[in-house]
Amino acid sequence: MATSTTPEKREFQAEVSQVLDIVINSLYTDKEIFIRELVSNASDALEKLRHTQLTENEIHQPELPLQISLSANEEEGTLTISDHGLGMTREELHENIGTIAHSGSKAFLKSLEESARKDSALIGQFGVGFYSAFMVADEVAVHSRSWRPDAESLVWTSDGKSGYEIAESAEELPRGCRIVLKLREDCKDFAKIDEVRRVLENYSSFVPFPVMIGEERVNKIEAIWRKKKSEISDEEYTEFYKFSAKAYDEPRYRMHFSAEMPIEINALLFVPRDNTELWGMGQMEPGVSLYCRNVLIDDKPAGLLPEWLRFLRGVIDSADIPLNISRESMQDSSLVRKLNRVVTKRFLKFLDGEAKDDADKFGEFYAKFGRFLKEGVVVDYDHREGLSKLLRFESSLTDPGVLTGFADYLTRAKDGQDKIYYLTGTDRAAVEAGPYLEALRSRGLEVIYFLENIDEYLLQHLREFDGKELVSAASADLELDSDDSIVLEGEPLAESEMEALCEYLKSELGEQVEKVAPGSRLVSSPAAVLAADDGMSAQMRNMMRAMNPEGELPPQKVQLELNPRHALIHALAEARASHPDLAKLVAGQLLDNALLSAGMLEDRVDLIQRGFELMEKALKKSSE
Ligand code: ADP
């Protein structure tokens, strides 16, 4: 390796060193994946060159074939991978293979470090594939010449430990990259060309450029999405997924469909195994590419699918898309909008079918990707109906952890029931311990539990399902049949006494309470608070507080509903005249207890203090 005299030495960025450390010392499985990573980088570089050719007049050596070549030298123990792609300038070498620019890679590094699964499959997912070369090599040289007419011929070398160095190449290099791996003693197998061919056959058959060993081409280019389903095996589908998504997992779902009307479409979409957003890696990047009759138009086109489908991987091919469509005009194109609508609808229908065929499998999907569907309900009016069919939740009639959907809910609804009831809360136990459920439960009405933060937003946008209004069981204007055959214990307080008690409480409790009234929903609790008509729910207040801890929230306002049959209410009505001091304490405690069980108590100092006073009074009274 002859280089000029003044090589430039640099240390790796800290994250790179960390990645390298993991790559070299911890990843022992599937070492062969480095071939796939380097070939896929070469393929990307060729793809980018093809695009650059469209916009730039002057490309260095335009006649060079767009292909990837591999050669091995058993004697020297080296493997070489070359391409005539974009190549890299000096700055690009520093930037691209000396640092990690990707956001989220730190979070991912952390999760990789903590993960018991030190799996080389993870490396491709966080965009540091190049460094996998150091799994097998103790020295890597990247000979590179950029496509730019006046670029230098450079050699980047590193042992993967101390840093790297960039020197001028002694020879004039052709455009592109030539990567030479000096294989480690225990990895010399990769210097045998038959071994390399075997790995290529496993991983690289969908690379869209010729992959050559000498004069022989080892891959065939195939647009499997334009073939008939019956001609494709499961293995081929999975292999294509792995190639197109740069993934190592098996997809959860795949949808392959063709349509002639309203436009010609061939689409092959995959749902990956994992939702990396749940790992704190930031937003997933959209991963469905747009093709026109097998020719790639854009590998990450914005607006091809709605943003909430950013977890999908695969290909959409439409013969109707003009080949010269630009990135800018793509989003405005009515054709792309049509594609978007048709494919999205089709995908939602597909999911609905899958949910019916195998509810458990769908449940696993939902646990990971349900958030995207909820996001869709919130932001995407056009698909709200299709999406709402796919929503899943627990309810008062499911076992804990078992999910149901709106359609199933309606099959269990009572005759003539024209509403869908729900409660929001932080967890199932809290919702079930609250006072709101009992009235509906005793009437045999099923109540859906919405337990995630995002559900508050969801419910602001989802007002009905199948013509049935969604109603909160905690809302002030919940109307329930009173002539139902429910047996309630105890006599109700006389109406006039009740009225007087309500007035008393209203004046005792002041500002915080908008209204005090008797109600029919309570069975075993004496009182419950309801969000005032213009008030915010407890979850909404919590969420706003979490988002902005410094911010001032408007004062909380609630309505207090009393249970006219409850012994405590009877006793309080009496105590108002006979023991006014005690009644005052009980009034305050009644409200705070109701707020507490609704998850709405914001200051508990009074509750505790009053509690002590009440205990003291009760004990003194019993010893009188
Ligand atoms: P990723 O490919 O996910 O960005 P890598 O670590 O595999 O991450 O590669 C880092 C960067 O190095 C690439 O984004 C690309 O800019 C550059 N690169 C790698 N291989 C080549 C190549 N053969 N030709 C040109 N650029 C390359």
Side-chain angles (χ1 to χ4, degrees):
M1 202 188 309
T3 54
S4 89
T5 45
T6 51
E8 183 188 359
K9 284 195 182 187
R10 291 244 185 132
E11 306 254 308
F12 283 117
Q13 179 203 28
E15 278 99 354
V16 175
S17 297
Q18 250 173 306
V19 169
L20 283 167
D21 186 54
I22 294 174
V23 165
I24 295 168
N25 298 315
S26 320
L27 303 179
Y28 299 110
T29 56
D30 295 333
K31 284 197 192 308
E32 63 189 39
I33 65 142
F34 79 93
I35 294 184
R36 194 191 118 168
E37 293 297 335
L38 298 183
V39 167
S40 133
N41 279 349
S43 167
D44 288 349
L46 289 165
E47 195 73 65
K48 286 182 203 155
L49 183 84
R50 198 151 72 179
H51 277 267
T52 309
Q53 275 174 331
L54 296 177
T55 50
E56 299 287 338
N57 295 328
E58 226 181 319
I59 300 271
H60 184 63
Q61 296 175 318
E63 71 288 353
L64 288 177
L66 297 189
Q67 64 181 38
I68 302 161
S69 310
L70 288 94
S71 63
N73 185 329
E74 259 194 272
E75 259 164 49
E76 292 176 12
T78 60
L79 173 64
T80 303
I81 300 172
S82 344
D83 64 73
H84 294 308
L86 276 187
M88 286 182 267
T89 62
R90 189 180 287 266
E91 287 69 40
E92 285 164 344
L93 283 168
H94 284 306
E95 249 169 59
N96 296 343
I97 54 180
T99 54
I100 306 177
H102 315 264
S103 64
S105 61
K106 276 190 194 168
F108 199 87
L109 253 179
K110 201 159 148 262
S111 80
L112 188 73
E113 265 179 356
E114 287 163 2
S115 148
R117 199 173 132 227
K118 286 268 156 60
D119 193 338
S120 33
L122 295 170
I123 194 163
Q125 294 201 9
F126 61 125
V128 289
F130 170 76
Y131 303 108
S132 66
F134 291 100
M135 288 167 77
V136 294
D138 42 30
E139 193 184 306
V140 176
V142 180
H143 303 253
S144 181
R145 198 225 184 261
S146 160
W147 63 273
R148 293 173 194 278
D150 51 356
E152 304 168 276
S153 291
L154 299 165
V155 191
W156 176 105
T157 43
S158 173
D159 59 4
K161 294 185 192 97
S162 46
Y164 61 92
E165 111 180 12
I166 299 177
E168 271 171 44
S169 169
E171 50 173 327
E172 180 72 17
L173 295 173
R175 185 193 69 229
C177 278
R178 185 171 84 231
I179 301 180
V180 184
L181 310 184
K182 208 154 184 276
L183 296 162
R184 284 187 354 205
E185 212 41 61
D186 55 336
C187 299
K188 286 269 155 61
D189 267 0
F190 297 113
K192 296 184 184 136
I193 203 68
D194 286 335
E195 179 62 9
V196 175
R197 181 181 289 110
R198 182 191 66 77
V199 178
L200 285 172
E201 280 164 1
N202 268 345
Y203 290 121
S204 303
S205 48
F206 292 106
V207 173
F209 296 94
V211 177
M212 311 293 290
I213 290 181
E215 292 300 305
E216 177 204 0
R217 176 164 181 179
V218 289
N219 68 327
K220 46 186 192 302
I221 301 177
E222 257 195 319
I224 71 164
W225 59 90
R226 286 172 72 89
K227 285 169 65 174
K228 289 206 188 72
K229 284 186 200 179
S230 55
E231 293 168 2
I232 312 166
S233 68
D234 283 348
E235 289 72 32
E236 277 177 299
Y237 273 126
T238 301
E239 203 186 311
F240 177 71
Y241 161 73
K242 289 183 179 176
F243 164 73
S244 70
K246 300 194 173 171
Y248 288 89
D249 56 336
E250 306 264 317
R252 262 174 206 283
Y253 286 126
R254 70 160 187 259
M255 178 182 89
H256 187 183
F257 93 99
S258 324
E260 298 291 327
M261 292 294 283
I263 31 177
E264 200 199 302
I265 302 177
N266 290 283
L268 177 53
L269 301 178
F270 299 93
V271 176
R273 179 130 305 267
D274 289 308
N275 171 2
T276 54
E277 290 189 14
L278 295 179
W279 301 347
M281 278 185 74
Q283 288 230 332
M284 287 172 106
E285 292 225 21
V288 177
S289 324
L290 180 62
Y291 281 72
C292 168
R293 296 180 199 271
N294 304 354
V295 179
L296 180 67
I297 307 285
D298 192 341
D299 67 341
K300 283 175 190 159
L304 176 59
L305 288 174
E307 204 174 305
W308 51 268
L309 280 179
R310 58 188 177 273
F311 61 96
L312 285 180
R313 299 290 173 257
V315 166
I316 296 176
D317 187 317
S318 175
D320 298 330
I321 293 285
L323 267 177
N324 59 357
I325 190 168
S326 74
R327 268 169 194 264
E328 292 71 35
S329 60
M330 189 102 70
Q331 288 206 61
D332 301 328
S333 150
S334 66
L335 260 168
V336 172
R337 280 203 301 273
K338 218 180 260 175
L339 274 177
N340 181 329
R341 202 164 47 242
V342 172
V343 176
T344 303
K345 255 194 137 142
R346 195 57 188 246
F347 180 67
L348 293 179
K349 209 171 119 197
F350 163 82
L351 280 182
D352 196 39
E354 291 291 324
K356 286 180 180 133
D357 286 351
D358 187 342
D360 289 345
K361 187 175 171 199
F362 183 75
E364 282 167 28
F365 158 79
Y366 193 81
K368 299 236 154 128
F369 294 90
R371 275 152 205 265
F372 291 104
L373 305 182
K374 290 183 175 179
E375 183 182 322
V377 171
V378 171
V379 301
D380 198 337
Y381 177 81
D382 288 344
H383 297 291
R384 195 165 290 159
E385 203 183 314
L387 280 162
S388 60
K389 287 186 193 155
L390 301 172
L391 295 179
R392 295 292 182 272
F393 28 72
E394 293 186 37
S395 86
S396 56
L397 291 186
T398 67
D399 288 330
V402 178
L403 301 180
T404 186
F406 286 121
D408 283 342
Y409 176 101
L410 290 178
T411 62
R412 294 184 291 262
K414 292 178 72 174
D415 282 348
Q417 181 183 334
D418 62 351
K419 300 219 165 32
I420 295 174
Y421 299 100
Y422 69 84
L423 278 168
T424 59
T426 49
D427 59 79
R428 185 179 175 111
V431 169
E432 296 198 327
Y436 308 105
L437 191 58
E438 47 191 38
L440 289 107
R441 225 186 209 166
S442 65
R443 287 170 172 79
L445 295 167
E446 180 174 1
V447 179
I448 291 170
Y449 302 160
F450 283 112
L451 304 174
E452 288 192 359
N453 274 339
I454 189 180
D455 292 341
E456 283 292 332
Y457 287 121
L458 182 83
L459 289 160
Q460 286 183 4
H461 294 89
L462 188 69
R463 293 289 163 81
E464 55 138 55
F465 179 84
D466 203 11
K468 310 260 189 300
E469 193 192 349
L470 265 67
V471 178
S472 165
S475 85
D477 39 31
L478 177 74
E479 286 164 19
L480 294 172
D481 295 344
S482 51
D483 54 8
D484 256 337
S485 55
I486 326 152
V487 192
L488 292 174
E489 277 177 36
E491 280 301 307
L493 197 63
E495 230 170 85
S496 59
E497 280 180 68
M498 193 69 208
E499 227 169 84
L501 179 63
C502 290
E503 248 167 61
Y504 163 77
L505 285 173
K506 174 87 188 71
S507 73
E508 236 0 275
L509 300 172
E511 285 288 277
Q512 224 185 330
V513 179
E514 186 189 66
K515 183 176 155 195
V516 183
S520 57
R521 85 180 71 205
L522 300 173
V523 178
S524 58
S525 313
V529 294
L530 313 172
D533 296 340
D534 59 347
M536 264 186 275
S537 73
Q539 282 72 33
M540 191 57 98
R541 287 178 79 87
N542 286 339
M543 211 154 59
M544 293 185 60
R545 213 172 290 127
M547 284 187 310
N548 180 13
E550 308 292 298
E552 282 272 312
L553 289 175
Q556 178 162 267
K557 258 197 172 171
V558 294
Q559 300 186 8
L560 187 65
E561 181 167 313
L562 303 179
N563 178 355
R565 294 171 196 271
H566 201 280
L568 178 61
I569 298 300
H570 282 253
L572 181 59
E574 240 181 74
R576 210 158 49 84
S578 57
H579 298 86
D581 289 353
L582 193 58
K584 201 177 159 73
L585 286 174
V586 171
Q589 202 71 356
L590 190 69
L591 174 65
D592 276 4
N593 270 6
L595 285 169
L596 184 64
S597 77
M600 293 169 84
L601 187 71
E602 295 184 348
D603 180 1
R604 32 173 140 197
V605 175
D606 286 353
L607 174 89
I608 293 168
Q609 203 48 48
R610 236 191 274 105
F612 290 146
E613 277 182 58
L614 280 166
M615 287 182 222
E616 197 185 317
K617 280 201 158 49
L619 292 174
K620 272 192 186 147
K621 197 149 198 284
S622 65
S623 63
E624 261 170 22

